[in-house]
């Protein structure tokens, strides 16, 4: 549960990075794939995954970056409504757990990269305002596996 003040500051932080959803979503994925190359194993159907330069140009990576950011954006619109928030997050978690079979340790990895990018681009306050959101996302995604 988020207080009114937390909802407002988390939304403000998210808006900054979501303005460029495709570019920033892509940057998050490219960093995940380069710093944690094992995460590429879930994307064997993506072409042009050999270098960061190629990945940045890839329509598949760009499309997926946009998709991930759109899903987070939907969650951010419902921080004040736990039922609606989980209504988005839980089905997504189910899909990752049963169909895609992502190792849940990777959720923390991608969330930390999002926070890192926020800090680099917009500063420590932006990151701090969004930490509770990524913590909620990671906790619930991990709970789906229990
Ligand atoms: C698919 C979001 C983390 C691997 C998806 C989709 C969304 C999404 C919205 C599309 C689902 C659909 O088509 O119904 C997220 C969010 C994450 C997250 C919000 C965490 C904040 C991860 C991680 C990995 C991963 C950590 C692997 C390291 C995949 C794969 C697909 C997928 C392989 C299918 C891609 C495709 O075939 O096009 N994810 N994801 N996801 N996700 Fe995630």
């Amino acid at each position: 549960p988020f207080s009114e003040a937390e909802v407002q500051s988390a939304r403000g932080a998210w808006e900054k990075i979501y303005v460029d959803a495709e570019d920033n979503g892509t940057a998050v994925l490219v960093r995940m794939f380069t710093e944690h190359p094992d995460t590429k194993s879930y994307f064997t159907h993506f072409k042009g995954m050999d270098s960061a330069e190629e990945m940045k140009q890839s329509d598949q990576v760009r499309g997926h970056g946009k998709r991930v950011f759109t899903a987070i954006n939907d969650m951010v619109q419902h921080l004040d409504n736990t039922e609606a928030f989980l209504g988005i997050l839980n089905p997504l978690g189910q899909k990752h757990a049963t169909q895609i079979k992502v190792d849940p340790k990777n959720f923390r990895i991608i969330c930390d990269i999002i926070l890192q990018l926020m800090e680099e681009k917009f500063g420590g306050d932006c990151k701090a305002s969004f930490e509770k959101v990524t913590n909620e996302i990671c906790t619930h995604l991990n709970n789906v596996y229990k």
Side-chain angles (χ1 to χ4, degrees), residues 1-2 82 85-86 89-90 93-94 107 133-146:
F2 292 84
T82 305
F85 181 78
L86 295 181
L89 192 47
N90 283 333
Q94 285 295 341
F107 297 130
V133 177
T134 51
N135 284 341
E136 286 287 310
I137 291 174
C138 286
T139 301
H140 287 293
L141 286 175
N142 276 284
N143 283 344
V144 173
Y145 287 71
K146 284 175 186 157

Side-chain angles (χ1 to χ4, degrees), residues 46-64:
F46 279 22
K47 294 181 173 63
M49 297 287 280
D50 294 329
S51 72
E53 278 317 308
E54 265 185 301
M55 290 181 219
K56 279 179 206 158
Q57 311 291 331
S58 154
D59 287 343
Q60 286 174 306
V61 175
R62 299 193 67 81
H64 192 63

Side-chain angles (χ1 to χ4, degrees), residues 39 42-43 45 64 67 71 92 95-96 100 102 106-107 110:
T39 58
Y42 303 103
F43 295 87
H45 54 303
H64 192 63
R67 210 146 46 232
L92 200 58
K95 182 155 193 175
H96 284 76
I100 311 172
V102 170
N106 292 312
F107 297 130
I110 196 171

